[in-house]
Amino acid sequence: MYFSAHSPLCVQLFKGKFFYCDGLNLSNITNKTECLQAGFRWIRRKYNFDNLGQALMSLFVLSCKDGWVSIMYDGLDAVGVDQQPKRNNNPWMLLFFISFLLIVSFFVLNMFVGVVVENFHKCRQQQEEEEARLREEKRQKRLEKRRRRALEKPYYADYSPLRRSIHTVCTSHYLDLFITIIIFTNLLTMSMEHYNQPQYLEEILKYCNYVFTLVFVIEAILKLIAFGLRRFFKERWNQLDLAIVLLSIMGITLEEIDLNASLPINPTIIRIMRVLRITRVLKLLKMATGMRALLDTVMQALPQVGNLGLLFMLLFFIYAALGVELFGKLECSDENPCEGLSRHATFDNFGMAFLTLFRVSTGDNWNGIMKDTLRECRPNDRHCLNYLPLISPVYFVTFVLTAQFVLVNVVVAVLMKHLEESNKEAQLEEMEERREIEERREREEAARRLSCASVGGDLEINVDMPVQVQVEDEECSHGNLRRMGRMLSLPSDNYVPPLRCSSYAPIGHEAVCGYNYSGNLVVHSHLN
């Protein structure tokens, strides 16, 4: 809508002004007549505003921010109809182009992308509700499994003291911090390697590699002892750690074999093994919980991103096949110089057309490629098609709108949606963990109060022989002492209440009650 409102204004401002004289000496050329009389060519620029269609195409190129500078300077140099352009003839036109770029590129197109993403979410609303229900079921199952594990006996309860100590070391945060420092130090030593390095540096880096490999081997062995084979290989991060350790050992072994020249080893294999040391960087993903959350988000979004990838492939296939039919016979020559088409960007075959369209989707000089397809046919052009100037803008504009503005932003929307959902799940899990901790504390507090109420804290019962019921809780004993202090501070503290001990004696026993020196009630029972 904004393009169609702006196009008539551009036609009124610049119609017939985007022509120039093409020749060798143009110092005395001021208009079209002088250009033709000198034997030169009077050429119209490919992006112009002579009519509504040309204006719409030029404004779209401006809004895409690819090649907009050349169009802007052509507008600044424009003098008049059939007049030779002059450098910076009207600098105030700069305000027109910059204002259009700011309004359209930074606001209108972003709102267009927002509308596309919003409609995409609306279309997926029912599917998202089903996915949310499944995620909630999985979360409830995880919480139930966690509660059962909390009540069950821990798997390391039957470990020997030595193995339990190893398990404590392997599950501590200090080991993760130590391994993180080792990884960063390893990255630092790998970054010091360079071409024509001195011999002493090569020796130092070699022994540093041995030390780091030894540390990773010890870590893997300790975790195998602490968790056992089944629990160790159950976690994918441990599998990655073991694979990195095996690759490191294999690389060191191949280097030593090559140095001793005992076996014919291809040097390329050794170089590949050296490059595979970079996989140690992946161990940092295990330490950083935020990066792991992002990685989990990407893994969860892979099914939808895969569907969008198939849609991308279908779009590229259709446009690549159509591009080979339309632009496959275009050639670059001195008479028809190319600004975008080259041996690296061409529609000669399906493969190159596919790569060219991928380049167009990234926004790299796609306006130059479209400009080369807008050429006008000449009498000696055998493969030129007269309808290309009409079809080419439709071809490229629709492809750029679909690939660059719709599908790419839909992929971003899918990733952001999954990231938001994973953050919500993390917050819910954190709230559930806090709630479990509070419930556990409340249960412990209730059990403690129940034990205080049942024991009483100061009652001692002797059956056949004195048996003292002792207080297990300090707070209970302190509370009883406070109650006793208040009782002894009463005005009638010399009053001794009558002893009623029959309820404490078993059947067939005689109860004899009394107070001990601490003021506690003592019950003695004897056979009748």
Side-chain angles (χ1 to χ4, degrees):
M1 189 69 181
Y2 191 83
F3 283 98
S4 47
H6 220 73
S7 298
L9 177 61
C10 295
V11 172
Q12 295 298 323
L13 290 175
F14 301 110
K15 63 179 180 180
K17 297 181 181 180
F18 273 51
F19 284 82
Y20 68 98
C21 186
D22 183 21
L24 297 177
N25 186 10
L26 304 176
S27 57
N28 297 323
I29 303 298
T30 59
N31 52 42
K32 178 181 178 181
T33 304
E34 294 177 355
C35 177
L36 296 177
Q37 289 178 354
F40 301 145
R41 292 189 303 166
W42 187 251
I43 301 175
R44 184 176 66 174
R45 300 190 183 276
K46 297 296 178 64
Y47 298 134
N48 55 77
F49 301 93
D50 288 353
N51 52 63
L52 186 62
Q54 294 286 343
L56 285 172
M57 181 183 67
S58 302
L59 289 177
F60 182 78
V61 174
L62 275 172
S63 64
C64 292
K65 301 187 293 293
D66 179 48
W68 67 274
V69 177
S70 59
I71 300 176
M72 181 187 69
Y73 281 112
D74 290 339
L76 267 63
D77 297 342
V79 175
V81 179
D82 294 339
Q83 298 294 317
Q84 176 70 7
K86 294 181 181 180
R87 185 173 181 179
N88 295 333
N89 179 67
N90 192 358
W92 292 103
M93 284 296 174
L94 186 68
L95 299 176
F96 169 81
F97 288 99
I98 292 180
S99 62
F100 175 82
L101 195 68
L102 288 174
I103 295 173
V104 176
S105 298
F106 294 98
F107 292 101
V108 176
L109 287 182
N110 286 318
M111 287 190 292
F112 168 76
V113 172
V115 169
V116 170
V117 172
E118 184 67 24
N119 289 328
F120 171 75
H121 287 316
K122 287 181 180 179
C123 294
R124 289 194 64 254
Q125 186 174 3
Q126 185 176 0
Q127 185 179 357
E128 287 177 357
E129 292 176 356
E130 182 68 20
E131 292 175 356
R133 186 183 61 82
L134 295 176
R135 284 194 301 270
E136 182 64 22
E137 291 179 357
K138 291 181 180 179
R139 190 178 67 86
Q140 293 296 335
K141 289 181 181 179
R142 287 198 303 267
L143 292 175
E144 186 65 26
K145 189 176 181 180
R146 189 182 301 168
R147 292 192 186 99
R148 288 199 305 267
R149 286 181 178 178
L151 297 175
E152 291 177 355
K153 185 179 178 181
Y155 65 90
Y156 52 86
D158 298 331
Y159 283 3
S160 62
L162 177 60
R163 190 177 180 185
R164 186 174 294 181
S165 301
I166 295 174
H167 182 273
T168 304
V169 171
C170 291
T171 54
S172 65
H173 295 289
Y174 295 104
L175 179 64
D176 294 339
L177 181 61
F178 174 73
I179 295 298
T180 303
I181 295 173
I182 291 295
I183 293 171
F184 275 113
T185 310
N186 188 16
L187 294 179
L188 181 63
T189 57
M190 285 192 293
S191 64
M192 294 172 62
E193 188 174 354
H194 59 274
Y195 178 67
N196 283 336
Q197 61 186 4
Q199 184 65 28
Y200 71 89
L201 180 60
E202 187 173 352
E203 292 293 327
I204 291 173
L205 295 179
K206 183 177 73 172
Y207 288 113
C208 286
N209 182 36
Y210 292 167
V211 171
F212 296 136
T213 304
L214 180 62
V215 171
F216 296 143
V217 169
I218 293 174
E219 180 199 8
I221 292 174
L222 290 178
K223 288 187 176 181
L224 278 170
I225 296 174
F227 302 119
L229 288 175
R230 185 175 62 84
R231 294 186 181 276
F232 181 85
F233 287 102
K234 190 176 180 181
E235 188 176 355
R236 297 186 182 274
W237 293 108
N238 292 334
Q239 298 176 13
L240 176 64
D241 291 345
L242 187 61
I244 291 173
V245 167
L246 294 177
L247 288 175
S248 301
I249 295 175
M250 191 180 301
I252 292 175
T253 305
L254 290 176
E255 287 181 3
E256 292 297 328
I257 292 175
D258 181 65
L259 290 175
N260 297 329
S262 58
L263 291 175
I265 301 296
N266 191 353
T268 305
I269 299 177
I270 300 176
R271 285 195 292 269
I272 292 174
M273 298 305 298
R274 288 178 179 175
V275 171
L276 290 178
R277 295 179 191 171
I278 307 299
T279 55
R280 297 175 184 175
V281 183
L282 298 176
K283 291 172 70 70
L284 292 176
L285 295 176
K286 180 182 177 182
M287 313 300 174
T289 56
M291 295 175 66
R292 290 177 62 179
L294 291 175
L295 186 61
D296 292 338
T297 301
V298 174
M299 295 300 293
Q300 292 175 4
L302 276 181
Q304 295 181 11
V305 174
N307 294 331
L308 290 172
L310 292 176
L311 186 59
F312 259 112
M313 293 294 294
L314 181 62
L315 178 71
F316 275 58
F317 183 89
I318 294 173
Y319 274 85
L322 186 59
V324 171
E325 293 294 329
L326 293 176
F327 316 118
K329 297 180 180 180
L330 293 179
E331 298 177 355
C332 299
S333 61
D334 295 336
E335 296 181 355
N336 291 316
C338 295
E339 297 185 20
L341 292 176
S342 63
R343 65 185 184 93
H344 302 294
T346 180
F347 291 91
D348 292 343
N349 53 67
F350 182 83
M352 288 303 300
F354 202 94
L355 292 177
T356 304
L357 288 176
F358 183 79
R359 178 176 175 178
V360 170
S361 66
T362 61
D364 179 58
N365 195 27
W366 72 270
N367 78 95
I369 299 175
M370 184 174 71
K371 188 185 295 185
D372 294 336
T373 61
L374 293 174
R375 64 178 58 174
E376 297 177 356
C377 294
R378 297 181 180 179
N380 55 350
D381 291 339
R382 294 178 300 172
H383 304 297
C384 183
L385 302 176
N386 294 323
Y387 52 83
L388 279 185
L390 298 176
I391 295 180
S392 178
V394 177
Y395 176 87
F396 283 98
V397 169
T398 55
F399 179 80
V400 169
L401 278 175
T402 308
Q404 192 173 342
F405 289 98
V406 177
L407 293 182
V408 172
N409 289 286
V410 168
V411 172
V412 175
V414 169
L415 294 176
M416 294 301 295
K417 187 68 176 178
H418 279 276
L419 181 61
E420 181 182 357
E421 291 173 353
S422 63
N423 290 334
K424 288 182 180 179
E425 289 183 1
Q427 292 176 0
L428 288 175
E429 289 182 0
E430 185 177 357
M431 291 174 61
E432 289 291 339
E433 290 178 358
R434 291 179 180 176
R435 190 178 303 168
E436 287 181 4
I437 293 173
E438 291 177 358
E439 290 178 356
R440 192 181 302 117
R441 289 177 180 175
E442 290 178 358
R443 288 195 299 266
E444 292 175 356
E445 182 69 18
R448 183 185 61 77
R449 291 176 180 175
L450 182 61
S451 64
C452 293
S454 61
V455 173
D458 54 359
L459 181 61
E460 297 179 1
I461 302 176
N462 295 350
V463 180
D464 289 335
M465 59 183 302
V467 178
Q468 295 185 354
V469 181
Q470 300 179 355
V471 182
E472 296 181 0
D473 200 325
E474 274 188 354
E475 294 183 2
C476 296
S477 60
H478 291 321
N480 295 329
L481 289 175
R482 286 194 295 269
R483 288 195 298 272
M484 183 179 294
R486 288 194 297 271
M487 232 170 61
L488 294 175
S489 64
L490 291 173
S492 58
D493 55 357
N494 56 354
Y495 170 73
V496 179
L499 301 176
R500 297 179 181 177
C501 309
S502 60
S503 61
Y504 295 101
I507 299 175
H509 289 69
E510 180 182 357
V512 179
C513 299
Y515 292 95
N516 59 11
Y517 67 93
S518 62
N520 295 331
L521 177 64
V522 180
V523 181
H524 300 273
S525 64
H526 302 281
L527 291 170
N528 291 331

